[in-house]
Amino acid sequence: MYSFKNDYSEGAHPEILNALAKANFEQVEGYGEDCYTTRAVELIKQQLDAPGAAVHLLPGGTHTNLTALAAFLRPHEAAIAPCTGHILVHETGAIEATGHKVISVEVTDGKLNPAHIQAVLDAHTDEHMVKPKLVYISNPTEIGTIYTRSELQQISRLCRAKNLYLHIDGARLGSALCAAGNDLRLPDLGELADAFYIGGTKNGALLGEALVICNTALQADFRFHMKQKGALLAKGQILGIQFLELFQNGLYFDLARHANAMADLMKKAIAGAGFEFLTQSPTNQLFPILPNWLIERLQEKYSFYVWSKTDAAHSAIRLVTSWATEEAAVAAFIDDFNTCIKKG
Amino acid sequence: MYSFKNDYSEGAHPEILNALAKANFEQVEGYGEDCYTTRAVELIKQQLDAPGAAVHLLPGGTHTNLTALAAFLRPHEAAIAPCTGHILVHETGAIEATGHKVISVEVTDGKLNPAHIQAVLDAHTDEHMVKPKLVYISNPTEIGTIYTRSELQQISRLCRAKNLYLHIDGARLGSALCAAGNDLRLPDLGELADAFYIGGTKNGALLGEALVICNTALQADFRFHMKQKGALLAKGQILGIQFLELFQNGLYFDLARHANAMADLMKKAIAGAGFEFLTQSPTNQLFPILPNWLIERLQEKYSFYVWSKTDAAHSAIRLVTSWATEEAAVAAFIDDFNTCIKKG
Amino acid sequence: MYSFKNDYSEGAHPEILNALAKANFEQVEGYGEDCYTTRAVELIKQQLDAPGAAVHLLPGGTHTNLTALAAFLRPHEAAIAPCTGHILVHETGAIEATGHKVISVEVTDGKLNPAHIQAVLDAHTDEHMVKPKLVYISNPTEIGTIYTRSELQQISRLCRAKNLYLHIDGARLGSALCAAGNDLRLPDLGELADAFYIGGTKNGALLGEALVICNTALQADFRFHMKQKGALLAKGQILGIQFLELFQNGLYFDLARHANAMADLMKKAIAGAGFEFLTQSPTNQLFPILPNWLIERLQEKYSFYVWSKTDAAHSAIRLVTSWATEEAAVAAFIDDFNTCIKKG
Amino acid sequence: MYSFKNDYSEGAHPEILNALAKANFEQVEGYGEDCYTTRAVELIKQQLDAPGAAVHLLPGGTHTNLTALAAFLRPHEAAIAPCTGHILVHETGAIEATGHKVISVEVTDGKLNPAHIQAVLDAHTDEHMVKPKLVYISNPTEIGTIYTRSELQQISRLCRAKNLYLHIDGARLGSALCAAGNDLRLPDLGELADAFYIGGTKNGALLGEALVICNTALQADFRFHMKQKGALLAKGQILGIQFLELFQNGLYFDLARHANAMADLMKKAIAGAGFEFLTQSPTNQLFPILPNWLIERLQEKYSFYVWSKTDAAHSAIRLVTSWATEEAAVAAFIDDFNTCIKKG
């Protein structure tokens, strides 16, 4: 049984494990004040071309979102998110647990646009309602779609005009930045967003997300917030070592490209066989719509999520590739897929 | 410069790194539903002799305390802690951030006793005050002292009589259980506490704490709380693998014994030279009271915290050993210490 | 300018003011432990035929909802509400500020039904999502519609089957219970809901809402929650005196009947002139859809909210009557309305 | 049985009740946007000589403190309070429930001084601890003592130097400002504090506290916070009418002077009989230390709190007077007191 269930089934890229082993007995300062973290942070800032940014390494994605939003927002301020947004659906109310409402916007492609945001602003007119203050988007979205540079610029422009913060969840950011059709570069994010994070967990690290706070007004005392939320690991060096490894020779992007390439092979095979997809994803998550009988056959040898029913006889499934996905496994899947179809 | 500053300066015990590397490419379920976590949890329950306990693996200590207390307490309920308690002093208000007051009890040895707890209950008489509901203690305490079995039994008895939960912070539990004079065993904790955690970060793991919820009434839905607080790592297996390694062949206790033995060597040398200690610690943290000139000399070759001034000419310092402390470094320290004294 | 803007423009019914003045110099216990509150609570329990209920008097509606939900829910538990629900829209994130998500259900008539609730349950399947635990409905709804006994029974039945709490916001409960077509009685609420409140502010009191906690499992320590949220007034007697006055001779229902009768006069006149309404409201809030020119004319002599645009030339307005609405003012409004129409 | 238990046993001063009755049928805007509130706010700002201050009327004291502190503090920031502070002891963890720690300072007279505050700052050195950000004091204190102008200036100066907010709980502010020995005037508070409130509930109103936010940086969006915490009464005019009545002709201070004068009569009688007091209170709360047998006798005719045991045979009691305390009752008490003593 090979798993295309998610991009966190395996451990870390071997070079990361090696780096951890190599630094293992070196005595370093605790709580992220070690030399590895310092170097990783500097490296990320260089690659962002954002010397004024603050970069912090946190253990996981939900943890990063909740720590950041709790730090950024005052009690009556709310976030705006597309209905598929991770903070809205799959973080067990983590943002609300810090006291803030997340306002849901109905979308079908996982993406917000300025009109969505403006509509929320228009609906929130006085102190009897929360004050929308932060726009949360994910790139890629939770359903694999990506934002173009122009789309992000438009959102950013509106946010600045309306005094809203723009926070980008980059749990799978590598996959977005390496996707076919992407025209966003890392420095664009530093320029357009107030904060965003570069996901490590889903792209080769054991754990770890690099939160970039671009807006200097949001940077003060951030380590207090991290500590308060349990996000300041005593052995912070294990995050620093990993991000240093991911960013010093482009490994982060190599891994993302591999994941995307594996997905692309599957996408072409499935599309080639005449099937549609629930979403247009150039990233490492695919949502093909398949007949239920075919899904059942594939489940005999592969694990993946059945995402949603699309009609009585069909469902969308989610196939996820990662840095660790073996090309042979993808080839086998395609083979099995085609065989199943022929047999009918 | 050798560091005796804390027990999280180095990475993980090599066997743990090996185990992580060995399992690295195995595809497992995410979010702690992997086979390693399952086995680690079962092993811990066996060693506790507590089949009804619930065991969860979380990333860090503050994170564990805040997730547990937020889950256990209703909004008006408060924790009682000694004035040196980690949740009271060194967690940046993490418990208060989940809505709960922590009531401080003045103590000098870091330990609570039933009289302290009863005094708090006596002072909280009606709905104009919080309702004390949970007793928080650390074993060993933040200043190295430990609880005897009898002391813990007395606290536990009062807690049960008064309908209070007993939560034990075991960030350095291994050191306490392996200390000279200790008569507590792991199963005693399962019997006497409502919840406690077994610290991994400070005893050989890269990160990770095993929270044991003994009281079945507190077990429901705990994974919801973990997720909400960002404590459910996507690659939960990295905690499972580490705890399995720590507990399957007694490595956890071997490492704690080593840390204690290293501290003991230092303690004997310092006491032998006629110095007093701020606290009576049989564990891996020592608080010798030394003349300031001596402290300055030692700081030339060793790093450690100066804990508190005891008079104009003396201060208490904190020396911490760990699983990774090299015996040669300890010998060198003792040598240097004795040399300094002779020179005067 | 006469106001039909809301039902809290005036002070209190004169009998209530008299009762306050009469008791003014009597020395009573503070914080709601006075004899008036005790008697009011007993009276309400009798009229509910619910000797086991707990009744508490709180200052306002938002305050009551937030205190109750914070007391009833554990951190990971969420409320389900129709999209028009007061807690969802017009309480500035009060529920989220206590840590809980409110799940929105799209409806057009302001009302939830079992299918809506079941759909939310179906969508919340594991610990990565909040746990729906409480159903919030308002009767009458924020747009004037009411629940029948049978509708409420069906919701209650599902809630009990699924272990959900049913909380009813009764800010305008009097108006619902006295509405044409209503078949719910006060004791039905005690039987079908886990908690509900009887609104005083909008039905003749200066301020005050009576929260009825029917479910004994939710009653413990409620005064702690009230105090913590600032809802335990030092001079609690001013709430007790008012509710005693409202309930001892049926004044509460007399006032609601008056408000409804005034609305009914307006409704008949507007409908008689051939206009439609946005919602079918038998209560003290009406939402007629009028041509914009007519609205502008009416605004010269009357104040009211323009609720929503329905097309380029029409809008729905909100007309609210209350215990204090003068029959002469209603007659004048109808007159003016008809005159405007004739003039065109 | 006459009560000296507290200053909220009776209703409101008759002029206030008259004013409420007089305005009763006037239609006004809701939620504190009525003309009475506007006028009361203007009047208070004039009397403060602080045109830039923001003044808001809230229902009660705990409610005011929690709304203000939640609005003023970021998540990691804490308040400093004397150990007797109302927010620390008698608000059921209301501040912690909004996420903030309150740091307790041991004092015997209920008052903070700059040295206390500096000691807290010295102890909070990094991000592992909360960040002290707000100094909370009460004037008069919970045990009847008052701050001189010079004392308050010193605290204010330190707060400004250290970037701390100064918040003054004035639940009984009238009594402090009218006390013998007081040299503080209302405008001094506006100048020295960042925020303070003028208590109405305990000085003649049915309910209501006027929060003055002097620091313009803390004023933004305060009505959002009020609404979120349930502190924006629909019939806000009932607070406006009361504060207008209290401040337009000096009634507020007349009532406070009466309360103080009544206390002073009792104080002189008790002191004249040779008894000591637990605290030096020139305000409306007295804490005489009396033999237990005498306390028992007095309890036959008077109700009051027994505050604390001072030795085996003596206890301190609390006697509270108010605007409503009858001079005849005070005379009777003194008589009975003297008679008891003579009888022995």
Side-chain angles (χ1 to χ4, degrees):
Chain A
M1 183 77 70
Y2 196 86
S3 174
F4 293 106
K5 236 175 140 176
N6 57 51
D7 32 19
Y8 40 84
S9 296
E10 293 91 355
H13 188 271
E15 288 184 31
I16 285 176
L17 286 188
N18 287 344
L20 286 168
K22 202 174 148 197
N24 194 52
F25 283 104
E26 197 179 327
Q27 290 189 316
V28 295
E29 287 294 304
Y31 295 108
E33 296 188 315
D34 61 279
C35 52
Y36 294 100
T37 300
T38 303
R39 285 163 58 197
V41 162
E42 278 315 305
L43 198 54
I44 290 170
K45 285 161 67 173
Q46 278 169 30
Q47 296 188 18
L48 279 170
D49 196 16
V55 178
H56 298 280
L57 307 183
L58 292 93
T62 294
H63 213 175
T64 302
N65 284 331
L66 79 89
T67 304
L69 270 61
F72 300 164
L73 298 175
R74 293 184 64 213
H76 61 304
E77 295 176 344
I80 304 171
C83 63
T84 46
H86 204 256
I87 57 167
L88 203 51
V89 185
H90 282 111
E91 301 191 353
T92 318
I95 304 305
E96 289 87 352
T98 70
H100 303 284
K101 188 182 182 75
V102 184
I103 300 164
S104 179
V105 175
E106 282 301 310
V107 299
T108 54
D109 62 354
K111 292 163 64 177
L112 283 188
N113 64 38
H116 295 133
I117 299 165
Q118 187 59 54
V120 171
L121 295 181
D122 292 345
H124 288 79
T125 53
D126 66 25
E127 68 265 24
H128 294 266
M129 286 169 269
V130 291
K131 184 171 181 175
K133 183 68 186 174
L134 181 145
V135 171
Y136 167 96
I137 59 174
S138 306
N139 191 35
T141 68
E142 292 73 8
I143 51 177
T145 53
I146 63 170
Y147 286 86
T148 64
R149 190 156 179 270
S150 153
E151 288 170 338
L152 204 59
Q153 281 172 328
Q154 290 170 45
I155 292 175
S156 179
R157 206 172 299 134
L158 181 68
C159 286
R160 279 164 198 185
K162 301 296 180 179
N163 210 15
L164 303 175
Y165 306 132
L166 175 58
H167 174 84
I168 305 176
D169 184 323
R172 296 184 172 96
L173 187 62
S175 184
L177 297 186
C178 297
N182 172 67
D183 60 356
L184 269 171
R185 294 160 318 113
L186 212 42
D188 295 328
L189 294 175
E191 211 182 297
L192 300 173
D194 292 282
F196 68 98
Y197 78 85
I198 304 170
T201 305
K202 290 171 177 164
N203 196 30
L206 288 175
L207 80 166
E209 320 293 310
L211 175 68
V212 181
I213 309 180
C214 319
N215 182 338
T216 54
L218 298 178
Q219 294 173 356
D221 291 345
F222 196 76
R223 283 173 58 84
F224 284 83
H225 298 282
M226 288 174 66
K227 177 67 189 176
Q228 185 182 73
K229 301 299 190 247
L232 208 54
L233 290 182
K235 293 182 179 169
Q237 69 265 33
I238 65 173
L239 301 177
I241 292 164
Q242 293 185 89
F243 271 93
L244 188 56
E245 202 60 30
L246 284 169
F247 278 87
Q248 70 189 353
N249 291 308
L251 181 62
Y252 187 76
F253 299 102
D254 293 344
L255 297 182
R257 269 187 290 269
H258 174 79
N260 285 356
M262 294 302 100
D264 202 50
L265 290 174
M266 295 169 92
K267 184 159 91 171
K268 281 180 181 142
I270 295 167
F275 295 105
E276 301 284 328
F277 291 79
L278 194 68
T279 70
Q280 297 313 311
S281 166
T283 60
N284 70 322
Q285 298 192 93
L286 301 175
F287 299 83
I289 299 169
L290 304 178
N292 294 336
W293 66 262
L294 176 54
I295 293 171
E296 277 169 37
R297 291 283 176 79
L298 292 170
Q299 284 175 323
E300 288 165 18
K301 295 181 71 174
Y302 302 95
S303 67
F304 49 80
Y305 281 106
V306 179
W307 194 254
S308 59
K309 291 190 184 173
T310 54
D311 66 33
H314 296 78
S315 298
I317 64 168
R318 184 179 82 157
L319 297 171
V320 189
T321 58
S322 81
W323 65 274
T325 302
E326 295 162 25
E327 188 150 3
V330 169
F333 176 87
I334 293 172
D335 241 35
D336 287 326
F337 185 86
N338 288 329
T339 308
C340 286
I341 294 169
K342 272 181 208 148
K343 286 193 188 162
Chain B
M1 184 76 70
Y2 196 86
S3 173
F4 292 108
K5 233 174 141 176
N6 57 50
D7 33 18
Y8 41 85
S9 297
E10 294 91 355
H13 188 272
E15 288 185 30
I16 285 175
L17 286 188
N18 287 344
L20 286 168
K22 200 172 148 199
N24 193 53
F25 284 105
E26 196 179 329
Q27 290 190 315
V28 295
E29 288 294 305
Y31 295 107
E33 295 190 314
D34 62 279
C35 52
Y36 294 99
T37 300
T38 304
R39 283 164 58 198
V41 162
E42 278 314 305
L43 198 55
I44 289 170
K45 285 162 66 172
Q46 276 169 32
Q47 294 187 20
L48 279 171
D49 197 16
V55 178
H56 298 280
L57 306 183
L58 293 92
T62 295
H63 213 173
T64 302
N65 285 331
L66 80 87
T67 306
L69 269 61
F72 299 164
L73 298 175
R74 295 183 64 211
H76 62 304
E77 294 175 345
I80 304 170
C83 62
T84 46
H86 203 257
I87 57 167
L88 203 51
V89 185
H90 283 110
E91 301 192 353
T92 317
I95 304 304
E96 288 88 353
T98 70
H100 303 283
K101 188 183 182 74
V102 184
I103 300 164
S104 179
V105 175
E106 283 301 310
V107 298
T108 54
D109 62 353
K111 292 163 65 177
L112 284 188
N113 63 38
H116 294 133
I117 299 165
Q118 186 61 52
V120 171
L121 296 181
D122 292 346
H124 288 79
T125 52
D126 66 26
E127 67 266 25
H128 294 263
M129 287 169 269
V130 291
K131 185 172 181 175
K133 184 66 184 176
L134 181 145
V135 171
Y136 167 95
I137 59 174
S138 305
N139 192 35
T141 67
E142 291 74 8
I143 51 176
T145 53
I146 63 170
Y147 286 85
T148 64
R149 190 156 181 269
S150 154
E151 287 170 339
L152 203 60
Q153 282 172 328
Q154 289 169 44
I155 292 175
S156 178
R157 206 172 297 133
L158 180 68
C159 286
R160 281 169 194 179
K162 301 296 180 179
N163 210 15
L164 304 174
Y165 305 132
L166 176 58
H167 175 82
I168 304 176
D169 184 322
R172 296 184 171 97
L173 187 62
S175 183
L177 297 186
C178 297
N182 171 67
D183 61 353
L184 269 171
R185 294 160 318 114
L186 211 44
D188 295 328
L189 294 175
E191 212 182 298
L192 299 174
D194 291 282
F196 68 98
Y197 78 84
I198 303 170
T201 304
K202 291 171 178 163
N203 196 30
L206 288 175
L207 80 166
E209 320 293 310
L211 175 67
V212 181
I213 309 179
C214 318
N215 182 338
T216 54
L218 299 177
Q219 296 174 354
D221 291 346
F222 196 76
R223 282 173 59 85
F224 285 81
H225 298 282
M226 289 174 66
K227 177 69 187 175
Q228 185 182 73
K229 302 301 190 242
L232 207 56
L233 291 182
K235 292 182 180 169
Q237 69 266 30
I238 65 172
L239 301 177
I241 292 165
Q242 293 185 89
F243 271 92
L244 188 56
E245 202 59 31
L246 284 168
F247 278 88
Q248 69 189 354
N249 293 308
L251 180 62
Y252 187 76
F253 298 103
D254 291 345
L255 297 181
R257 269 187 291 267
H258 174 79
N260 285 355
M262 293 303 100
D264 202 49
L265 290 173
M266 296 170 91
K267 183 158 93 172
K268 282 184 179 137
I270 295 168
F275 294 105
E276 302 284 328
F277 291 79
L278 194 68
T279 69
Q280 297 313 311
S281 165
T283 61
N284 71 321
Q285 297 191 94
L286 300 176
F287 298 84
I289 299 170
L290 302 178
N292 294 338
W293 67 262
L294 177 53
I295 293 171
E296 278 168 36
R297 292 282 176 79
L298 293 170
Q299 284 175 323
E300 289 163 19
K301 296 179 70 173
Y302 302 95
S303 67
F304 49 81
Y305 281 106
V306 179
W307 195 254
S308 58
K309 292 190 183 173
T310 54
D311 64 34
H314 296 78
S315 297
I317 64 168
R318 185 179 80 157
L319 298 171
V320 189
T321 57
S322 82
W323 65 274
T325 302
E326 294 162 27
E327 189 151 2
V330 170
F333 176 88
I334 293 172
D335 242 33
D336 287 327
F337 184 86
N338 287 329
T339 308
C340 287
I341 293 170
K342 273 182 208 146
K343 289 193 189 161
Chain C
M1 184 78 71
Y2 196 86
S3 174
F4 293 107
K5 235 175 140 176
N6 57 50
D7 33 17
Y8 41 85
S9 296
E10 293 91 355
H13 189 271
E15 288 185 29
I16 285 176
L17 286 188
N18 288 343
L20 286 168
K22 201 174 148 197
N24 193 52
F25 284 104
E26 197 178 329
Q27 290 190 315
V28 296
E29 287 295 304
Y31 295 108
E33 295 188 315
D34 61 279
C35 52
Y36 294 100
T37 301
T38 304
R39 284 162 59 197
V41 162
E42 278 314 305
L43 197 55
I44 290 170
K45 286 161 67 172
Q46 276 168 31
Q47 295 187 21
L48 279 170
D49 197 16
V55 177
H56 299 280
L57 306 183
L58 293 92
T62 295
H63 212 174
T64 302
N65 284 331
L66 80 87
T67 305
L69 270 60
F72 299 164
L73 298 175
R74 294 184 63 211
H76 62 304
E77 294 175 345
I80 304 171
C83 62
T84 45
H86 204 256
I87 58 167
L88 202 51
V89 185
H90 282 111
E91 301 192 352
T92 317
I95 304 304
E96 290 86 353
T98 70
H100 304 283
K101 190 184 181 74
V102 184
I103 300 163
S104 179
V105 175
E106 283 302 310
V107 298
T108 54
D109 61 354
K111 291 163 65 176
L112 284 187
N113 64 38
H116 295 133
I117 299 166
Q118 186 61 52
V120 171
L121 295 180
D122 291 346
H124 287 80
T125 53
D126 66 27
E127 67 267 24
H128 295 264
M129 287 170 269
V130 292
K131 186 171 180 175
K133 184 67 184 174
L134 180 145
V135 171
Y136 167 96
I137 59 174
S138 306
N139 192 35
T141 68
E142 292 74 9
I143 51 177
T145 53
I146 63 170
Y147 286 86
T148 64
R149 190 156 181 269
S150 154
E151 287 170 338
L152 203 60
Q153 281 172 329
Q154 289 170 45
I155 292 175
S156 178
R157 206 172 297 133
L158 181 67
C159 286
R160 281 168 194 180
K162 300 297 181 179
N163 211 14
L164 304 174
Y165 305 132
L166 176 57
H167 174 84
I168 304 175
D169 184 322
R172 296 185 172 95
L173 187 61
S175 183
L177 297 186
C178 296
N182 171 68
D183 61 354
L184 268 172
R185 294 162 317 115
L186 210 44
D188 294 328
L189 295 175
E191 210 182 298
L192 300 173
D194 292 282
F196 69 98
Y197 77 85
I198 303 170
T201 304
K202 290 171 178 163
N203 196 30
L206 287 175
L207 80 166
E209 320 293 310
L211 175 67
V212 181
I213 310 179
C214 320
N215 182 338
T216 53
L218 298 177
Q219 296 174 354
D221 292 345
F222 196 76
R223 281 173 59 85
F224 285 83
H225 297 282
M226 289 174 66
K227 177 68 187 176
Q228 185 182 75
K229 302 300 190 245
L232 208 55
L233 292 181
K235 293 182 180 170
Q237 70 265 30
I238 65 171
L239 301 177
I241 292 166
Q242 293 185 90
F243 271 93
L244 188 56
E245 201 60 30
L246 284 168
F247 279 88
Q248 67 190 356
N249 292 307
L251 180 63
Y252 187 76
F253 298 102
D254 291 345
L255 298 182
R257 268 187 291 268
H258 174 79
N260 285 356
M262 293 303 99
D264 202 50
L265 290 174
M266 296 170 91
K267 184 159 91 172
K268 282 182 179 139
I270 296 167
F275 295 105
E276 301 283 327
F277 291 79
L278 195 67
T279 68
Q280 297 313 310
S281 166
T283 61
N284 70 322
Q285 297 192 94
L286 300 176
F287 299 84
I289 299 169
L290 304 177
N292 294 337
W293 67 263
L294 177 54
I295 293 172
E296 278 168 37
R297 292 283 175 79
L298 292 171
Q299 284 175 324
E300 289 163 19
K301 296 180 71 174
Y302 302 95
S303 66
F304 49 80
Y305 282 107
V306 178
W307 194 255
S308 59
K309 292 189 183 173
T310 55
D311 65 35
H314 296 78
S315 297
I317 63 168
R318 185 180 80 156
L319 297 171
V320 189
T321 57
S322 80
W323 64 274
T325 302
E326 295 161 26
E327 188 150 2
V330 170
F333 176 89
I334 293 172
D335 241 33
D336 287 325
F337 185 86
N338 287 329
T339 306
C340 288
I341 294 169
K342 273 181 207 145
K343 289 193 190 161
Chain D
M1 183 77 70
Y2 196 85
S3 173
F4 293 107
K5 234 173 140 176
N6 58 51
D7 33 18
Y8 39 86
S9 295
E10 293 90 356
H13 188 270
E15 288 184 30
I16 286 176
L17 286 188
N18 286 344
L20 286 168
K22 200 173 148 200
N24 193 53
F25 282 105
E26 197 178 327
Q27 290 190 315
V28 295
E29 287 295 304
Y31 296 108
E33 296 189 315
D34 61 280
C35 52
Y36 294 100
T37 300
T38 303
R39 284 163 60 198
V41 162
E42 278 314 305
L43 197 56
I44 289 171
K45 285 162 66 172
Q46 277 169 30
Q47 296 188 18
L48 279 170
D49 196 16
V55 178
H56 298 280
L57 306 183
L58 293 92
T62 295
H63 212 174
T64 302
N65 284 331
L66 80 88
T67 304
L69 270 61
F72 299 163
L73 298 175
R74 293 184 64 214
H76 62 304
E77 295 175 345
I80 304 171
C83 63
T84 46
H86 204 256
I87 58 167
L88 203 51
V89 184
H90 282 111
E91 300 191 352
T92 317
I95 305 303
E96 290 87 352
T98 70
H100 303 283
K101 188 183 182 74
V102 185
I103 300 165
S104 179
V105 175
E106 284 301 311
V107 298
T108 54
D109 62 353
K111 291 163 64 178
L112 284 188
N113 64 38
H116 294 133
I117 298 166
Q118 187 58 55
V120 171
L121 295 180
D122 292 345
H124 288 80
T125 53
D126 67 25
E127 69 264 24
H128 294 264
M129 286 170 269
V130 291
K131 185 172 182 174
K133 184 67 185 172
L134 180 145
V135 171
Y136 167 96
I137 59 174
S138 306
N139 191 35
T141 67
E142 292 74 8
I143 51 178
T145 53
I146 63 170
Y147 287 86
T148 65
R149 191 157 179 269
S150 154
E151 287 170 339
L152 203 60
Q153 281 172 329
Q154 290 170 45
I155 292 175
S156 179
R157 206 172 297 133
L158 181 68
C159 286
R160 279 166 197 182
K162 301 295 181 180
N163 211 14
L164 304 175
Y165 305 132
L166 176 57
H167 174 83
I168 304 176
D169 185 323
R172 295 184 173 97
L173 187 61
S175 183
L177 296 186
C178 297
N182 172 67
D183 61 355
L184 269 172
R185 293 161 319 114
L186 211 43
D188 295 328
L189 294 175
E191 211 182 296
L192 300 173
D194 291 282
F196 69 98
Y197 76 85
I198 304 170
T201 304
K202 290 170 178 165
N203 196 31
L206 287 175
L207 81 166
E209 321 292 310
L211 176 68
V212 181
I213 309 180
C214 319
N215 183 337
T216 54
L218 299 177
Q219 294 173 356
D221 291 347
F222 196 76
R223 282 172 59 84
F224 285 83
H225 297 281
M226 288 173 66
K227 177 66 188 179
Q228 185 182 73
K229 302 301 191 243
L232 207 55
L233 291 182
K235 294 182 179 168
Q237 69 266 32
I238 64 171
L239 301 177
I241 292 165
Q242 293 185 88
F243 271 93
L244 188 56
E245 202 59 31
L246 284 169
F247 279 88
Q248 68 189 354
N249 292 308
L251 180 62
Y252 187 76
F253 298 103
D254 292 344
L255 297 182
R257 268 187 291 269
H258 175 78
N260 285 355
M262 294 302 100
D264 203 49
L265 290 174
M266 296 170 91
K267 184 159 92 171
K268 281 181 180 139
I270 295 168
F275 294 105
E276 301 283 327
F277 290 79
L278 195 68
T279 69
Q280 297 314 312
S281 166
T283 60
N284 71 321
Q285 297 192 92
L286 301 176
F287 298 84
I289 299 170
L290 303 177
N292 294 337
W293 66 262
L294 177 55
I295 294 171
E296 278 169 37
R297 292 280 177 80
L298 293 170
Q299 285 175 322
E300 288 164 18
K301 296 180 71 175
Y302 303 95
S303 66
F304 50 80
Y305 280 107
V306 179
W307 194 254
S308 58
K309 292 190 184 173
T310 54
D311 65 34
H314 296 78
S315 298
I317 65 167
R318 185 179 82 157
L319 297 171
V320 189
T321 58
S322 82
W323 65 274
T325 301
E326 296 162 25
E327 189 151 1
V330 169
F333 176 87
I334 292 173
D335 242 34
D336 287 327
F337 184 85
N338 288 329
T339 307
C340 286
I341 293 170
K342 274 180 207 147
K343 287 194 190 160

